[in-house]
Structures are given as structure tokens and as C-alpha cells.
Amino acid sequence: MLVPIMAIHDVIVLGAGVAGLQCARRLRGAGVDVLVVDRSDKPGGRCATRTFDGQPADYGPLFMHGDDPGFLAAVGAVPGERLEGWPARVSGRGAPCQPDAFAPFATRLAFTDGMNAFPRSLAEGLSLCLRAQAVSGGIEKDAVVLTLTGGDRLHARDLVLAMALEQTIPFVRMLGKSDGGRSSLGVLEMFASIPCLTVIAGYDAGIVLPDWDICYPEDEPALLLMSNESSKRPRASSRVLLFQASANWSMKRLERPKEEWGRELLEIAAHRLGPWAGAPLWTHLHRWRYSRLDKSNELTGPLELKIGASRIGIAGELFSPGGGLQAAWLSGDRLGKKLAE
Ligand SMILES: Cc1cc2nc3c(=O)[nH]c(=O)nc-3n(C[C@H](O)[C@H](O)[C@H](O)COP(=O)(O)OP(=O)(O)OC[C@H]3O[C@@H](n4cnc5c(N)ncnc54)[C@H](O)[C@@H]3O)c2cc1C
């Protein structure tokens, strides 16, 4: 814990993903005392990168895409090397995660250091309280109180909920015991996130990987995409591919042991790419229970509830058209501006 936990903050932002971090940046820029709380050991949430043998591999979103000038300016401010236009070599005619990702007006790029470079840059200078999982929330004496695993309590005048939809709903249920709260809950419960089972696979440096950056197979119900992660790393010494399973396939296997669906996905990879693809040197399996929303699941702005003297703001990809990272950033940005007024 990096902060004195008895202090009453102006605002606590629960969730250090792109939405929560951008909201906190806006608030801090307006002179508001804001603390960002996250259960993870680093900021970024679903905008996730892991390093294997010194080589980063993305396993949430694989590239940035968008057209909003503010969002693109924030992306442009990320330090380090970038790969403008990645993915340039796209194979297959399957649907990408976000339909607008390949629209002619969209800018696309990746970071050599991995996608987590973006939230890392947003987190710069913010007060973060990491490895802190909130388990309940309530209102006491005109302040919001969050209770963490282990019993520590955090206090704030206002609260921002910036987590995946299914992680946000229990807090709205606990805090929003008013007409406004109940109607917000009704709206939120109309939507749902889809899962995504993911395999990162490392191969011998002698393997020649396919000549695409991303492949969206149109004829494989199990696979949403395959990504050549090594093509983002100009100095890569090992060969890394990533396989993201489709939502339907993931849903059916969500509760099965990781090894089982991991093996199945590699068999499918071997069938498509050759036997070498089914026999990596190492794998890392990740179960995204709440990966993203469907394109149609979108509202036009962040939600705000008034409970006693406190305000509860809700941000995330649901609250801006288009979904995905840009929507998460925009919703956090708008909510931060609104709460700072
Ligand atoms: C596999 C995959 C592929 C994707 N592909 C794309 C794509 O191509 N294009 C695109 O634009 N978007 C894509 N997305 C979606 C994009 O990553 C998300 O829309 C965006 O990152 C959401 O940001 P967020 O800040 O709203 O939420 P998150 O990033 O989920 O942040 C929420 C944070 O809250 C924390 N948290 C949750 N519960 C608690 C708790 N109780 N206590 C404390 N902390 C808590 C979590 O640890 C997390 O850090 C993809 C996502 C995944 C997983």
C-alpha cells in the first residue's frame, strides 16, 4: 500500500485500466486529489503485455486504432518506439475484434515495448494503490467507503467505477440504493461482456513464421485471430505467435481446465499452419472472462449517480460509441472533466 489509508480523498478511481487512468489524469490536471486503486500489481487492466525471454507479447488488444484527436494525441505521447500502421500484413476475411479497426479513417499502430506502454504512460505521476482488491462499498457520514480484501478501508468524497461491466455491477448494486441507482443498474444489466481464451506460444528461433502480422480466419469457428507477435519486435530473438479463440468457442470452454482448451487451440493452429505450430517450446494461457463488449453494446456517455453528498461516476468502453480502447479512454476523459467541474 503506497498511500495513507485513513486519508479522505477527493476522488477514488476504482480500476487502473485505460478508462480509470485517463479519468484520474483529467481530475489531477484540475487539481483534484485522486487515488487510483487496482487489484493488479501494475496498471493497464486488459491493455496487457507480458515479457517472455526479454521479449514483450501482447495478449489483450494487439494494436491501437482510432480516430479521435484527443485519444490519438495521448497515444502519440507514449515514449518509445512505435510501429505506425501495424498490422500492415493482414490475412483472412474474418471479422476483427472491433469492426472500425480497419476503417479507412482509423489510425493503427503498435508499440515495440507492447500495448501496456499506453496505460503505463497514462499512469505517470498519478497516485496508485496497487494489489488492492475492493470487495465492498458503502456510504458513511457523507463519504464513500471502499473495503479491501484484508479489511483495510479507503474513504473518498466521490467514487469512479472503471472496471469491466460485470465487475462494476456489484458495486452499483451496493452503492446505488436510490431511484437513480436502480435505473442505472437496469441499464447496465442489459449488456454483457464476451470471453476470450488466449494462447501465447513461443517457438524456436529457427522457425519461419507465416508472412502475415495478423490473420483473421473466415473459415475457422474456433479462432478469432492469430497474431505474429514477433513482427512487432524488430530485435526479436524468439518467435512468438498468439491465438485468440472466438467468443462462442471460449464461452463453451470457459470453466474447463486451461491445459485442455490450450491443447485444443494448438491442435487447430497445427492443422492450419503446419505441425510445428502445435509443438511450441513454451506456452502461456490466459482466460479473459470479460474481454470486451459487442459493437452494438454502447451508450453515448459515462453515467453519474448522486448518492447523499457523494457522486458515483461509471466509465469504461460501454460508455462511448465504438467500444474498445478508444471508447474506454474517451469515457474516462469525459467523466474526469465532468467531475472536475
Ligand atoms: C483479448 C482482448 C482483445 C481485445 N481487442 C481489442 C481491440 O482489438 N481493439 C480495442 O479497441 N479493444 C480491444 N479490447 C478491449 C479493450 O482492451 C478494453 O475495452 C479496454 O482495455 C477496457 O479498459 P477499461 O479501463 O474500461 O477496463 P480494464 O482494462 O478492464 O480495467 C479495469 C481494471 O479494474 C481492475 N479491477 C477489477 N475489479 C477490481 C476490484 N474489485 N478491485 C480493484 N481493482 C479491480 C482490473 O484489475 C483492471 O485493471 C480487447 C480486450 C481483450 C481482453
Side-chain angles (χ1 to χ4, degrees):
M1 196 79 57
L2 301 172
V3 290
I5 59 172
M6 287 311 293
I8 297 193
H9 301 277
D10 289 341
V11 182
I12 287 177
V13 174
L14 184 54
V18 164
L21 292 168
Q22 180 55 24
C23 181
R25 280 182 79 81
R26 271 286 168 201
L27 288 163
R28 184 172 156 270
V32 175
D33 154 49
V34 53
L35 175 69
V36 185
V37 175
D38 202 291
R39 64 184 183 180
S40 183
D41 60 354
K42 62 177 182 194
R46 281 171 273 177
C47 197
T49 306
R50 240 185 120 109
T51 301
F52 303 92
D53 295 337
Q55 189 179 323
D58 297 318
Y59 61 104
L62 303 173
F63 59 99
M64 314 291 311
H65 52 87
D67 61 336
D68 178 82
F71 173 69
L72 293 178
V75 170
V78 176
E81 219 175 313
R82 67 196 67 232
L83 293 158
E84 307 287 346
W86 196 97
R89 301 172 303 161
V90 179
S91 168
R93 281 179 295 166
C97 305
Q98 303 287 334
D100 286 348
F102 290 93
F105 54 79
T107 295
R108 285 173 293 281
L109 62 91
F111 303 109
T112 302
D113 290 341
M115 290 291 281
N116 188 253
F118 180 49
R120 266 203 318 275
S121 120
L122 295 178
E124 206 57 46
L126 295 177
S127 296
L128 298 180
C129 178
L130 298 173
R131 296 187 197 86
Q133 170 148 7
V135 288
S136 67
I139 304 281
E140 280 175 21
K141 292 190 197 140
D142 289 349
V144 185
V145 184
L146 278 186
T147 305
L148 307 179
T149 313
D152 286 339
R153 283 151 58 90
L154 298 171
H155 299 75
R157 192 166 41 79
D158 296 325
L159 175 69
V160 169
L161 300 172
M163 299 165 285
L165 177 66
E166 287 77 1
Q167 298 162 335
T168 296
I169 284 175
F171 287 91
V172 178
R173 206 169 275 140
M174 284 182 262
L175 288 158
K177 290 180 179 132
S178 60
D179 287 349
R182 277 186 287 275
S183 64
S184 299
L185 201 54
V187 172
L188 297 179
E189 284 175 339
M190 286 164 56
F191 302 105
S193 305
I194 53 176
C196 180
L197 300 179
T198 302
V199 174
I200 312 172
Y203 300 90
D204 186 84
I207 291 282
V208 179
L209 293 182
D211 60 358
W212 36 252
D213 296 331
I214 284 199
C215 174
Y216 297 100
E218 67 272 30
D219 53 353
E220 176 53 73
L223 274 180
L224 175 71
L225 63 80
M226 302 184 277
S227 165
N228 179 346
E229 285 299 291
S230 299
S231 72
K232 295 183 202 166
R233 324 287 171 217
R235 289 166 291 283
S237 54
S238 51
R239 303 282 172 262
V240 179
L241 290 182
L242 172 125
F243 305 99
Q244 284 181 359
S246 66
N248 278 344
W249 196 90
S250 300
M251 220 167 303
K252 286 184 192 140
R253 290 157 181 81
L254 198 55
E255 306 308 335
R256 300 247 190 100
K258 278 184 175 179
E259 297 67 32
E260 203 178 290
W261 51 257
R263 201 168 41 245
E264 256 189 277
L265 271 184
L266 285 175
E267 279 165 15
I268 291 163
H271 177 69
R272 296 194 68 92
L273 305 176
W276 62 269
L281 296 178
W282 55 262
T283 55
H284 174 77
L285 312 179
H286 192 85
R287 183 188 281 121
W288 289 110
R289 201 168 277 283
Y290 311 119
S291 74
R292 61 196 163 81
L293 299 158
D294 282 338
K295 170 76 170 74
S296 56
N297 290 355
E298 19 178 270
L299 305 176
T300 51
L303 284 180
E304 195 189 322
L305 304 172
K306 190 99 177 86
I307 297 165
S310 294
R311 292 175 299 172
I312 315 288
I314 312 176
E317 65 168 331
L318 176 62
F319 304 98
S320 190
L325 278 174
Q326 176 171 278
W329 185 91
L330 281 171
S331 76
D333 195 55
R334 287 190 191 133
L335 183 59
K337 263 191 227 163
K338 207 164 162 211
L339 292 178
E341 272 162 14

